Amino acid sequence: MGEDELAISEHDCETMRLVRRGADATGDQAAALFALANGLVGVEGVIDERDAAPCAYLPDAYVSRPIGYHESFPGYATATDTRVACPGPALLRLHVDGKPIDFGAAELLDTERTLDFADGQLRRISRWRIATGRTLEIAVDRIVPLAGGACVASRIRIRPLDFAGHFQAWLTYGIDGGGAGAAEADDPRISGRLRPQWTINLPLPGDTPSVTRFSQDAVALAYRQHVASPAAQVAAVHAGHVVRSELVAGGILAIDRVVAMACARGRPVDLVALNGATDFDAIAEGQRAAVRTLWGSAAFAIDGDDALAAALHFDLFQLHQSASRDPNHSIGAKGLTGEGYEGHYFWDAETFMLPVLALQAPEQAKTLLAYRVGKLDRARAHAAALGHRRGALYPWRTIAGDECSSHYPTGSAQYHINGDIAYALALYVAATGDDAFRAEAAEMLFETARIWMEIGAFDPRRDRAFCTHGVTGPDEYSALVDNDFYTNAIARRHLAYAADTANWLRARNEFAVLAAAIDLDDKEVADWRKAADAMWLPVDPALGVNPQDDAFLGRPELPGLAASGDRHGPLLMRYHPMILFRHQVAKQGNVVQAMAMDLVGMPLSQQRRNFDYYGRVTTHDSTLSSVSFAIAAARLGDEKAALEFHRECAFVDLEDRHGNTSHGLHMAALAGSWLVLAQGWGGLRLDGAIPSFRPQLPDAWKGYRFRMQWRGSVIELAVDAAGCTYRLLSGDPLAVADHGRPFNVGAEPVFAERPGLKGVIFDLDGVLTDTAEDHYQAWQALADTHGFAFDREANHRLKGVDRSNSLRLILDHAGAQVEAGRFDAMLAEKNDIYRARLAGYSPANLFEGVAELFDGLRAAGLKIGLASASRNAGDVVRLLGISDQFDFIADAGAVAHAKPAPDIFLACAAGMGLSPEQCIGVEDAQAGISAIHAAGMVAIGIGSEEALPDADMHLPAIGQLTVARILSSEQETAPRAGFSTRPDKVEEISC
Ligand code: BG6
Ligand code: MG
């Protein structure tokens, strides 16, 4: 990657830092915002000279406490892990002329803090008026090196502004009590918070004076401090160092302080872990390099919304800071920035954070998965404790691997966590091609897949659909439901991936050994596939939405929900859970979550219905909610809603939108704010063979760009009003797709114009299935019965023509006339013959390639309509199993004029909410081609040029029609949508 590609422009600099002044720069919220971390340690943004409480987080520093129940039942969680804040490595106590300065009582005149995302440093400058009325300036630069060990480096400058004196700077550790106030004691999002009680231990033989040891419960810590202050006297003292210096007014005492930290459980720390860089300048240089590497694959920009760009830079930087570098740990809900949720790891590590890491720092995505693989035995034990005969169930919340939730209805019942881990594994493997890890993780994948067969069954009353029972989805305002939509959707993905992986291992001759080890046979794998194929994911016939679960749509809405909204805080703080469970109210949208993750293909119209319906009953009390709603809204082209939801997650902590940023940063929402950029606005989908994009530009922005890595290559997308330019920044050429058009991004940038096309309208008979033949056979039988001359040749003219006009053509051809009553009887007779032939129709009668084509169209964001002259069309698409694939099905009985009049195509376009020019039609009959043209649309003919001379493009069979060809036909026939408006340097995609 060239230097220039990494250079950050003057303008970008403005969005590459978080600056806060005055009261906004101090306090609990600022402590979380200005947290620094590197996956091995996190330290809150404390004020060195004032904050004396423990404020550092080391992944291994957690304690385990028993959970007590008055009434206990088999399988209840028995203990919980709680991450404890470790002694602060930044505490600075100042004495002037032998007297301590009480910064608690001093007046903070001014303070300014800057977290710089371009060089990875936190800078602060504060001016104090101390008790004597004198003023003092303290400036501190702080680094937690992203590519280093558990270490906090500080460069401190102490400057008396208007006095002289003998200064002593005590560089010690913050272990004073502190923590949550009484007001927070009942908040389940922070409960379990412990008052940390650290003991300073005696040194062990061989410890140097610069080492301090602490302990609490099973946790042992050792800090080694290195202090440099060339112009002053430095001495090691108990638990720290003291620096002494005479200062004149305006003089500066400069101190570099580097604290290396290590943690061990149940044994003393081996000091080897504390070896590392001690020179501040070298650490700063290393940090600059690490940050450059990070932005090398993660840089982005938004032209037209600096505030949002700055928020996203903050969000992404914080995610990368908290990403675990230790395979014994994942990322807590609050990362390493606070004590919220006891430091537990939840599903959001896999579903929100890991996808970002897989696309920017895949090694760290792997670390999260390695953590799960390492806890497989604990997950097996958890499944056994819940009474499952086989398989593994990951705990809902945990650190060491055991279930730590005492509330199983919203804890262990969230079986979807197994599917989330499988989803993350599949995504990581796709993004990296790391086959070795796929093989290594296969045991976990199979053991977790087994759980679905434990909690689900083929339901004979639902045509043997696979149904799951007694589960809780991500929305914790419903619990222990049957067929949670998200759970079923992720289970389907999981089961299919597990079955695919079994085949993949077989092909590598690696299946047998693993299968024998876990007693897995072919039948079990075949059952996974069967369950995936038969998964129950229904559409409610009346509302046209996917029910969140079997009972959700039937429950009453929560009275006064709309009125109370979130102004009174989350419902979970105000209602007994059972009140919430029995109402139609959601903390976050399970169906919308499944949509955002592309777990289920559905027409845009249905996505819209789901979005509207669940938007109405969702409180967004979870910070995760806005992420999926933003992605869904952006993909639906609902810019206003998408921008609102995007801001909601992007600013969740910067504006303390949930009032609890002081517990730590909401890592999943922060990660999600980038997912909204890539998956929402960029339309990125990762469920196909190659990454596919559908970049949209909201009116409020002039453009935006973002990067991602895939299989070791880094590409950048630059989106503007006309389309998107794809550039390869490093690695091998990469295959991607834009609006369904596949191409390679290689040495030359590729520009893909945004298509004007928004919908494709299909004829049915002869296009999607072979009913054209059945219509012919039915007419032939009718003609034979009544003695009219008719044959296949004569039938050509009937194609696409409605029933009564067809009979008129037959009578004309035969030179016959019949009176009205007989005419109608003949129509009914033909229809009976035709419908009898339909009896054997099933999804197998769908023409080859149609299912894939529909998937591709949806991925490209195109709507799908049906405009058939047949009054039987509704029944035929039901028999074919595709009735819920259409955004709109035009009713032949409701239009005034049949094909070749344009009415039915116009009605279909209107039904999809599109203008005719935004649509294209696909037909196999001349009458249909004429109708499409009369409607002002481009016509694709399925058939020969000879048969369909007027069509704009011809294909012998629907199976050969691809999204790329559809878009190129629009381009060929409508110059306005061409691909040739860019400078020569940019290669244009050819379809
Ligand atoms: C069209 C077919 O799609 O529908 C014709 O191409 C058919 O052959 C017409 O006559 C009407 O169908 P139905 O099912 O309403 O009789
Ligand atoms: Mg037809």
Side-chain angles (χ1 to χ4, degrees), residues 763 765 775 779 798-803 806 830-831 834 868-872:
D763 172 44
D765 301 317
H775 279 294
W779 287 126
L798 272 56
K799 274 198 186 165
V801 176
D802 72 329
R803 202 180 306 164
S806 292
K830 183 264 172 179
N831 202 39
Y834 174 68
S868 169
S870 171
R871 313 273 170 125
N872 294 300

Side-chain angles (χ1 to χ4, degrees), residues 132-184:
T132 50
R134 295 158 166 179
T135 50
L136 180 69
E137 188 178 270
I138 297 181
V140 183
D141 298 347
R142 190 183 295 159
I143 301 171
V144 172
L146 275 176
C151 146
V152 179
S154 310
R155 171 160 285 175
I156 305 163
R157 300 268 182 282
I158 300 161
R159 188 156 75 111
L161 297 178
D162 47 16
F163 66 101
H166 176 71
F167 276 70
Q168 291 178 11
W170 297 83
L171 305 169
T172 183
Y173 307 115
I175 57 169
D176 292 358
E184 287 175 328

